[in-house]
Amino acid sequence: MKPIDRASGNGRGRRVTRRRVLTLIGATASLPLIAGRASRGDPPVFEWRGQALGAEAQLLLAHPRQTAARRAAARCVAEIARLERVFSLFDPASELSRLNRDGCLATPSHDLRILLAEAQRFGALSNGAFDVTVQPLWRLYAGHFADPRHDSEGPSETQVAAARALVDYRGIDLAQGRIAFRRPGMAVTLNGIAQGYITDRAADLLRESGFDNVLVQLGETRALGRPAPDRPWRVTLPDPQGGTGATAGLDLVNQAVAASRGAAARFDPTGHHHHLFDPATGASAGRVLAVTVIAGRATAADALATALAVAAPDVAETILNGVGPARALVVLPDGSKRRLGNWV
Amino acid sequence: MTRSVAGLKYAWPAAPGLAVLLLLFVAVCGSQATEPPRPPLALGAAESRYPEVFPAATAFGPAEGTPPAAAAYREGTLVGYVFASKQVVASSGFSGKPLNILAGVDLDGRITGAVILEHKEPILVIGVSDRDLAAFVVQYRGLDIRDPVRVSRRPGRAEGRVDAVVGATISSVVFSDVILRAARAVARSRGLLGVKQALLDFESFAPTDWRALGAEGSLVSLRIAVGDAAAALERSGGRLYGRAVALPDPNATFLELHTGLATPARVGRNLLGGRLYNRLMGGLADGDQLLFVAGRGLYSFKGTAYVRGGVFDRIQLVQGERTIRFAKDDHFRVEKLALEGAPELRELAVFVLRQSSGFSAVQPWRLEVLAAGEADDGRAIFASFARPYSLPAIYLRAAEGAGTEAAAIPLWQDIWRERWLDVTILVLGLLALTAILVFQDFVERQQPFYEALRIGFLAFTLVWLGWVVGAQLSVVNVLTFSDAIMTKFHWDFFLLDPMLFILWSYVAVAMLFWGRGVFCGWLCPFGALQELTNRLAQRFGVPQWRLPFGLHERLWPVKYILFLAIFAVFLGDQRLALIGAEVEPFKTAVVLKFDRPWPFVLYALGLVLAGLFVKRAFCRYLCPLGAALAIPARLRMFEWLKRRWQCGTPCQQCALSCPVQAIHPEGRINPNECIHCLRCQVNYYDDQLCPPVIERRKRRERRQGARQTAAAGEGAA
């Protein structure tokens, strides 16, 4: 008897994947349960695949005991589900949704307070290029282009100015155990950082459980250790122009990687209007085509990738150096590549 | 045949009344016919319904193994099992008919969902929709099969975790039993329960000290040095603020945290002392747990935000997908530990983890503490520290012994034990009724006493037996009983409802002694409802209609025909027969207390309304249960109702006062119709009503009067 396959997708009504840039290469990915070992003596790699944050998700655990790996993966899945309930924009009962609706949250979880503090930190670091309070702009543009009689030039300047007036990460008050917006109408999206945070939490949880060789891919990627003593974790970067060809492999050991590309979620067919807003202008950022960032933690990599996609190229190096060892590959609209940090 | 003029006068208005009644009945039947047909419950469809009971799974394997269950996969990973109860355990409903429930259980031993594939519960056929059933089984989603599940009849009762289908408690209990037994069997066979299958032993107590509690894992601790906290904050671009900044020694204690479940007596009583422990335990609802948290160092884990915000902002508990916050109201300050060897701890607290938070004492959890710092520009920066905890094995008792012991007790014994109070009240009520019937002569001679007794007993029958307990016998019981005799008979099925079992046993014996009237006249809640409302109506001067005896007599057979029709249909199509059994308004008026769709309510109210003008109109002509009882009641062995030779010829006094006109004009009491209310027997002794007794009284008075006159005469002489 054949297993009954259900239509994929868990029906939670999420938007299309914001960006799905990294995929795993090698024969490991094609086997369902035990992802195989490259050579005799390597530990087996347990693989879990599923959906997290509206995207395909994968955990790879190199560990001699498969049952222990299965249990640890199950704990991770529970943690992911727990954090989704905090950060989701689409679950009306999530803490983030309640904050956006009410403008304040009296009893936020630690996770939301930590992540908003991180978001403010990257906001300060990028001088506002990374800003989680761009949600009013998203609402404006999404609403504008959803109207069938929309002006293809985008919303009017006054509308943009009104939305932009609500954008300021410093307007989130995190003091005194509560969260409040300083201006009514403000709203937060954590799409540029929550995936990184959840990736880190899952990786930390696995490390605390004694799994030192793990690859966590939950929208962003974080590698702990290596799958075998002689090999690093290897992931691929698809073509930044969006084509199917030319992918570059990337070796990771105790690193996180995140990528950002405006074209991943565009409002109009030309791609002129897309989800990466420049808070300074209120329009979609257009100076950079795609960014890939490698950093120690996925939260930082995630936020930096968004920041570099928005910020002026001349300040990119400064932003990157603000968080310690990190490097980036920036693809400009003309196809040329800029390597920052010590990207090889 | 003699007929009173008064009878004629009221006979004609009765005919339209009856016509209205019949119209109502037809309307009800009509409205049923237009209801959309129920989808057939096919067993073959089970596989297509797997996703309903295991929504998280994306693929399912075949049902295989012992007991058979289908593996559920999510993205290629095993996440649980789906099973049909019929294939796993002896699965039959309250009716004794096969019952098949499809359910899923995940690897943590939680039920993922359940749907009823097949059932033949009579009570559930009408009035309880598929939606009600779905709403019932959906309550099982997320329940831990290691925990006892109680089906509660009264919604909102504290100890009940699952609300029964209204009016079908026993079926609900059986469904619950089947779901849990099957799930446990599948989980046990797949090794899912493992160590978690254990029962909790939180009662054992032995004095111990701080060190031992730590060594065995009952208490866990976390020490954060100032240097650790500073480093963690620095990673996020911040630094410590407050007192800690000025402190030069990075090895000084920023926070030393101790925590553990305090519900076990070994932990709680030792830590807090007997008095405080008992007081806290006494305040817990079923399923609540106590958590001990204590700390010292530069950083307060309590903070001050809870005073205004109501929730502690620096600690949270994480268990699986749950984030549990600590509310001010669930916080108890502890002044001093009662334990030897305990360190001096600045902050001591016990928190109540409410069952509603979803916290499970068995599953591992972690306590997270949030340290706050600041960045150069004054922004808030946080760092989180966590201490995992898992319940030490000493609090787990292997479930093998207890589990099998629990399984060995039949379900019905559990139910009887649980309802001992109802059983006691019912038995006392029946003893009282027996006394009334056995000592009827005594009762009948005291007319005011009889009236009070009668109204009192009917009120008991209607309010307690009917509305509170829902013990209304029905023709459906007759059908299922005869069906059980025809197929396979198990006392177990009938023992599942103690009220119905006792009542039916009593009625069966009473039928041999007194006839069917004992039930109809005394123990039928709907009968009581009609009689009490009629008495009220008479008090307000509502005219009473007596049908001419000729018509009355010819309407008697209607109920017999109804009963035979229902029975005949039952032999062919049980579901249809159960729809037909809705002729009885019992379920509407008594079991569901008029909380039903309006056609049913209208029909039941129509019958009560008719009963205001024609005493017990429904009992006389329509009640199929009365008919079903009247037939075997012909085996009656004793004659209790006394008559005089003058009865009927010429006296019609009793025939006129009989509430169901069961007395023929020639004076004979028809036992098939008699409800044994004893009204005619009260008349029998009434020296103001019964002509022969009046005659006797007058004679006596005359004699006395003559004697007195004579005495007076003698005196005068």
Side-chain angles (χ1 to χ4, degrees), chain B residues 486-519:
Chain B
M486 284 185 287
T487 52
K488 58 175 182 184
F489 187 86
H490 286 303
W491 278 117
D492 282 24
F493 299 131
F494 299 97
L495 285 163
L496 281 175
D497 190 330
M499 297 292 115
L500 289 189
F501 184 82
I502 295 170
L503 268 178
W504 268 112
S505 309
Y506 183 81
V507 169
V509 175
M511 231 156 41
L512 287 181
F513 280 67
W514 290 280
R516 65 115 157 172
V518 175
F519 170 72

Side-chain angles (χ1 to χ4, degrees), chain B residues 53 108 125 127 149 173 237 262 272 339 345 356 401 408 431 454 467 533 591 619:
Chain B
V53 299
D108 292 330
V125 168
V149 172
V173 169
L272 310 172
L339 190 65
L345 295 166
S356 56
L431 285 176
R454 175 85 188 146
W467 285 335
T533 49
V591 178
C619 306

Side-chain angles (χ1 to χ4, degrees), chain B residues 69-371:
Chain B
Y73 299 97
R74 183 180 163 87
E75 311 292 338
T77 309
L78 180 71
V79 286
Y81 295 91
V82 173
F83 52 89
S85 65
K86 208 176 175 179
Q87 294 179 304
V88 178
V89 292
S91 175
S92 39
F94 177 37
S95 61
K97 294 283 173 186
L99 169 69
N100 201 7
I101 301 176
L102 189 73
V105 60
D106 68 15
L107 299 182
D108 292 330
R110 285 180 187 277
I111 290 174
T112 56
V115 292
I116 296 172
L117 290 181
E118 182 193 6
H119 79 82
K120 294 204 171 70
E121 301 296 272
I123 187 85
L124 302 181
V125 168
I126 295 284
V128 178
S129 66
D130 287 342
R131 211 177 34 226
D132 296 334
L133 286 183
F136 172 72
V137 292
V138 88
Q139 300 179 87
Y140 285 83
R141 179 167 296 170
L143 284 192
D144 194 319
I145 60 174
R146 288 173 290 265
D147 296 338
V149 172
R150 291 175 79 87
V151 176
S152 172
R153 214 158 55 83
R154 292 164 193 135
R157 224 162 47 165
E159 76 263 37
R161 288 179 59 187
V162 172
D163 293 335
V165 178
V166 177
T169 312
I170 300 303
S171 294
S172 307
V173 169
V174 174
F175 284 12
S176 181
D177 184 55
V178 163
I179 293 173
L180 289 169
R181 266 194 304 133
R184 285 173 187 148
V186 168
R188 226 178 348 256
S189 69
R190 267 67 178 177
L192 298 188
L193 297 177
V195 69
K196 294 180 216 148
Q197 192 199 342
L199 299 175
L200 294 177
D201 173 18
F202 284 176
E203 290 78 39
S204 300
F205 174 75
T208 181
D209 61 16
W210 177 268
R211 184 187 298 272
L213 288 179
E216 71 199 20
S218 294
L219 290 179
V220 295
S221 58
L222 168 72
R223 183 178 178 274
I224 308 162
V226 170
D228 301 336
L233 287 167
E234 206 177 310
R235 273 197 294 277
S236 296
R239 55 180 157 74
L240 289 169
Y241 59 32
R243 273 195 296 164
V245 184
L247 215 80
D249 181 9
N251 286 325
T253 301
F254 178 70
L255 175 62
E256 182 184 299
L257 203 62
H258 302 271
T259 188
L261 201 67
T263 326
R266 180 178 174 79
V267 182
R269 184 181 293 274
N270 273 313
L271 279 178
L272 310 172
R275 256 180 66 192
L276 181 56
Y277 175 72
N278 288 340
R279 188 165 70 81
L280 290 173
M281 290 298 286
L284 295 190
D286 198 21
D288 291 355
Q289 302 289 343
L290 293 179
L291 187 80
F292 170 75
V293 185
R296 61 176 169 182
L298 296 166
Y299 191 71
S300 159
F301 74 83
K302 288 187 183 176
T304 53
Y306 72 96
V307 179
R308 280 172 293 108
V311 172
F312 288 81
D313 67 328
R314 292 181 175 183
I315 46 172
Q316 72 180 17
L317 188 148
V318 173
Q319 184 175 52
E321 297 183 17
R322 295 194 162 85
T323 313
I324 299 170
R325 314 301 310 276
F326 300 102
K328 183 167 68 175
D329 295 344
D330 293 333
H331 165 236
F332 294 91
R333 195 190 307 275
V334 178
E335 296 301 331
K336 193 176 180 307
L337 289 184
L339 190 65
E340 242 176 75
E344 276 299 317
L345 295 166
R346 188 160 64 93
E347 289 180 310
L348 292 163
V350 171
F351 295 99
V352 177
L353 294 165
R354 301 284 169 200
Q355 194 200 14
S356 56
S357 72
F359 179 78
S360 153
V362 186
Q363 303 286 334
W365 47 267
R366 63 179 193 267
L367 188 71
E368 295 189 345
V369 56
L370 193 68

